[in-house]
Amino acid sequence: MQHFDTHDVVNQAPPFENVNLYACDPALQQALLREGGAAAADALHQLGARLGRAEVLDLGRQANANSPRLHNFDRSGRRVDEVEFHPSWHALMTLMIEAGVHASPWDSGQPGAQVARAAQYLLFGQVENGAQCPVTMTYACVPALRQAGPIAAKWLPKILSRQYDPRSLPIEHKHGALVGMGMTEKQGGTDVRANSTRANPLAPGEARARFGDEGEGAWALVGHKWFFSAPQSDAHLVLAQTDDTGSAGLSCFFVPRFLPDGSRNAIRVQRLKDKLGNRSNASSEVEFCDAVGWLVGAVGRGIPTILEMGGYTRLDCVVGTAGIMRAALTHALHHARGRAAFGRKLAEQPLMQNVLADLALESEAATAFALRLARCFDEAADPAQALLGRILTPAGKYWLCKRGPAFGAEAMEVMGGNGYVEDGPLARLYREFPVNSIWEGSGNVMCLDLLRAFGKTPAARAALGAELALAGSANPDFYAYAARLLADLERPQGDEYGARRLAERIVVAVQGALLLRHAPAYVAEAFVASRIAVDVGGAFGRLPAGVDCAAILERALPIY
Ligand SMILES: Cc1cc2nc3c(=O)[nH]c(=O)nc-3n(C[C@H](O)[C@H](O)[C@H](O)COP(=O)(O)OP(=O)(O)OC[C@H]3O[C@@H](n4cnc5c(N)ncnc54)[C@H](O)[C@@H]3O)c2cc1C
């Protein structure tokens, strides 16, 4: 208790900190084990303890309270386009890169590496979300870059390195590298075919004169990108039109920040975006003034090349959202356990229990779904898993991210006025939710992609059916729901108007199946009763009578 002249400070819940974020999450631990990530359990336990420390959680606050600043020119007036970050940003990046979140599935050789990484990502998502952006893009670029022989040989060792090296230097002098992606232009982000940035091959003589052997295959890019996150990255994959060359369409280019001759590439950072959230991260607008790039993939095959990257970034939108949900839930539940109103702790009041338990169900279902989806990526060599991943990625990105803002608002409200102010974490978490829905394929675009996936690969229906069948027929509401869904999927899927509803039904069915198979009955039955037996409601806190809220909340955050 603290004494002021006028009053004592009482009934304020202490901050949720100095907690092992992994050890306090049974649903995450169980999902890791069953989806194939068991080898990482000890490391995750250690990581959870580290990330839950007060000083680490505070890095997230600091990095967002001190947004990056752009310096276009040095003191002598030379163009530099440098971004200056707060030390907390660098500390967060160091933590993630040292843990291998940007690279481990590509070089660890461990079975279940995608699942293990997803669990790491979900834990980091409870600390800070802006720094997750460059880490995601770097992770996602690797499969595409592996197609680019000489670039891969030179760059992959730096990209996969566990050293975070923020220095602005040519790659030869660096210990680690980050890679971003640039597709979105002013006139169109979703419809990248509208890109106006053009690439033309450099004359072989000029390229060789400038860059020696490395000049082979160099192109010059002229144009712009309207969103270009992490411009401090050592390179970006950039889409540009190459149809002047006779191969119609967009191509994908590797555009480094420094060129092989040591000079800065002509990527002019116009300004940094002033964003709703994700304020720790620099997102910029850039112009390419004959910036030099090298082809990744074939000429005219830019969209499939960048879409390969998109599969991984979309996975991270799903996992990242599960992480933010978990953060919002734990802060809210911890607060409600520590604060009383009308003579009783908030967490013991029936209506608040309904709200909190409903949030806990959503969070556990998101975690279960995210790690199941990560396993599809681990097992992509199995056609059934690849097909399942192909449909669950867009459906999950749509539905989990769509639930995010409502989830964040409700968790904020649990904390009352304290939730709305910047002293606590909820305001920041709330602002983080929408970006996962918007970037890398906004909600509608994901639902249309889902239809496209069913259209191109009708066998995806069987893969989904096999996954749902694992839950059996013991729960009649689930069984009927899954049967209706699969029957509807027997028809060709071309109904754009109803595509959101379809995506939602698929995700809810998979979540229900996972919980029925693996979660305690009080969790699974409450999920089915509130989301499958009836339509998902517009607000949280509509669980029917008979749900064991106390048991759900004890599982959500065991009292420590
Ligand atoms: C914080 C942040 C960081 C970003 N970083 C990057 C980055 O690093 N690199 C990059 O390339 N981009 C980046 N983006 C851009 C982002 O990926 C785009 O904003 C997104 O893809 C949508 O494109 P758009 O803004 O042009 O919207 P539009 O394409 O105009 O879409 C607007 C809306 O229309 C909907 N829509 C589109 N087509 C259809 C249709 N056929 N039917 C129904 N609805 C439709 C979309 O779902 C969306 O809701 C970032 C965005 C944000 C907010």
Side-chain angles (χ1 to χ4, degrees):
M1 192 162 72
Q2 229 182 337
H3 294 283
F4 283 72
D5 289 343
T6 55
H7 64 283
D8 294 330
V9 179
V10 294
N11 196 27
Q12 288 280 13
F16 180 69
E17 59 191 22
N18 296 319
V19 191
N20 185 322
L21 298 179
Y22 181 71
C24 77
D25 191 348
L28 176 62
Q29 294 166 40
Q30 291 158 16
L32 179 90
L33 298 186
R34 70 172 175 264
E35 304 301 355
D42 289 346
L44 284 162
H45 196 89
Q46 287 168 26
L47 185 68
R50 191 162 182 204
L51 296 185
R53 290 212 308 256
E55 66 273 20
V56 175
L57 291 172
D58 195 51
L59 292 173
R61 180 194 63 77
Q62 291 179 48
N64 283 274
N66 299 280
S67 291
R69 289 193 303 163
L70 173 64
H71 301 288
N72 288 117
F73 302 97
D74 71 6
R75 57 200 287 179
S76 311
R78 291 185 196 90
R79 189 101 203 191
V80 287
D81 298 309
E82 290 288 341
V83 185
E84 182 186 357
F85 289 89
H86 189 260
S88 53
W89 167 270
H90 296 301
L92 289 161
M93 288 298 298
T94 303
L95 274 170
M96 273 193 284
I97 300 289
E98 284 182 357
V101 189
H102 67 301
S104 54
W106 313 129
D107 66 1
S108 73
Q110 259 183 12
Q114 294 283 4
V115 169
R117 175 196 174 269
Q120 286 183 318
Y121 196 86
L122 203 148
L123 291 178
F124 274 107
Q126 297 169 56
V127 179
E128 210 282 316
N129 309 110
Q132 290 189 296
C133 169
V135 167
T136 284
M137 293 194 291
T138 302
Y139 151 74
C141 82
V142 173
L145 265 190
R146 281 182 170 156
Q147 303 170 26
I151 298 172
K154 180 173 176 180
W155 281 77
L156 280 178
K158 306 285 170 110
I159 291 170
L160 299 177
S161 150
R162 300 300 194 267
Q163 262 181 286
Y164 170 60
D165 186 346
R167 293 174 304 157
S168 189
L169 289 173
I171 192 64
E172 293 77 10
H173 305 296
K174 293 199 57 169
H175 305 300
L178 298 174
V179 180
M181 57 207 287
M183 293 98 79
T184 309
E185 297 189 1
K186 290 172 184 167
Q187 69 282 2
T190 303
D191 188 0
V192 290
R193 293 169 308 174
N195 273 193
S196 64
T197 298
R198 311 199 70 78
N200 288 301
L202 278 185
E206 183 196 345
R208 178 163 282 278
R210 285 178 70 183
F211 309 125
D213 287 347
E214 292 190 59
E216 192 179 330
W219 295 61
L221 278 69
V222 175
H224 80 283
K225 294 293 165 187
W226 181 230
F227 280 90
F228 194 78
S229 287
Q232 76 280 9
S233 299
D234 299 282
H236 281 76
L237 294 185
V238 173
L239 285 184
Q241 301 284 359
T242 46
D243 50 357
D244 284 355
T245 64
S247 299
L250 284 166
S251 302
C252 178
F253 291 91
F254 184 80
V255 182
R257 196 168 177 213
F258 284 88
L259 293 171
D261 63 0
S263 65
R264 281 175 190 270
N265 207 352
I267 308 163
R268 310 277 183 243
V269 184
Q270 307 293 88
R271 60 174 172 169
L272 298 187
K273 298 284 192 189
D274 184 5
K275 294 174 289 185
L276 168 72
N278 218 252
R279 300 185 70 86
S280 62
N281 179 29
S283 300
S284 68
E285 299 161 16
V286 295
E287 258 189 308
F288 305 113
C289 306
D290 275 324
V292 179
W294 283 261
L295 262 179
V296 178
V299 178
R301 299 288 299 159
I303 293 179
T305 304
I306 212 107
L307 271 184
E308 185 175 9
M309 192 169 174
Y312 296 100
T313 51
R314 288 167 187 176
L315 167 66
D316 273 8
C317 290
V318 170
V319 182
T321 296
I324 313 174
M325 282 183 178
R326 175 72 192 164
L329 171 71
T330 49
H331 286 291
L333 178 52
H334 177 79
H335 176 89
R337 283 178 178 160
R339 178 142 174 121
F342 304 102
R344 251 198 310 175
K345 293 290 187 207
L346 289 173
E348 292 163 11
Q349 316 243 10
L351 184 51
M352 183 59 95
Q353 283 203 328
N354 193 331
V355 172
L356 287 167
D358 209 358
L359 292 174
L361 292 176
E362 193 70 24
S363 173
E364 175 157 354
T367 295
F369 183 92
L371 266 67
R372 176 66 187 89
L373 179 58
R375 179 151 75 90
C376 291
F377 284 74
D378 267 325
E379 298 178 2
D382 173 348
Q385 294 298 314
L387 282 172
L388 192 61
R390 176 67 189 90
I391 54 172
L392 295 191
T393 302
K397 182 178 183 304
Y398 163 67
W399 181 241
L400 265 70
C401 297
K402 200 50 73 187
R403 293 291 271 169
F407 189 107
E410 204 62 68
M412 180 191 288
E413 191 165 327
V414 169
M415 298 180 77
N418 285 353
Y420 196 71
V421 297
E422 296 291 342
D423 294 334
L426 257 296
R428 171 162 63 85
L429 292 173
Y430 177 66
R431 285 196 301 269
E432 289 298 343
F433 277 114
V435 70
N436 278 340
S437 194
I438 292 174
W439 95 297
E440 265 305 87
S442 310
N444 286 354
V445 174
M446 288 298 89
C447 297
L448 297 177
D449 186 49
L450 176 69
L451 296 186
R452 202 172 310 119
F454 278 117
K456 278 193 167 171
T457 51
R461 180 193 170 279
L464 177 65
E467 177 71 12
L468 298 181
L470 295 172
S473 56
N475 185 302
D477 289 321
F478 169 80
Y479 189 66
Y481 186 90
R484 271 196 309 276
L485 172 62
L486 291 169
D488 288 348
L489 285 172
E490 271 174 12
R491 291 191 292 276
Q493 294 306 306
D495 173 22
E496 290 192 12
Y497 189 75
R500 281 190 176 215
R501 181 78 183 110
L502 177 70
E504 171 189 331
R505 290 170 69 200
I506 288 172
V507 177
V508 169
V510 170
Q511 290 178 323
L514 288 168
L515 295 181
L516 283 167
R517 288 165 62 203
H518 305 297
Y522 54 81
V523 168
E525 284 164 16
F527 185 88
V528 172
S530 55
R531 285 140 171 92
I532 286 178
V534 297
D535 262 356
V536 176
F540 290 93
R542 295 165 71 256
L543 296 177
V547 167
D548 189 348
C549 291
I552 292 172
L553 295 179
E554 171 57 24
R555 173 173 167 83
L557 186 59
I559 295 174
Y560 50 93

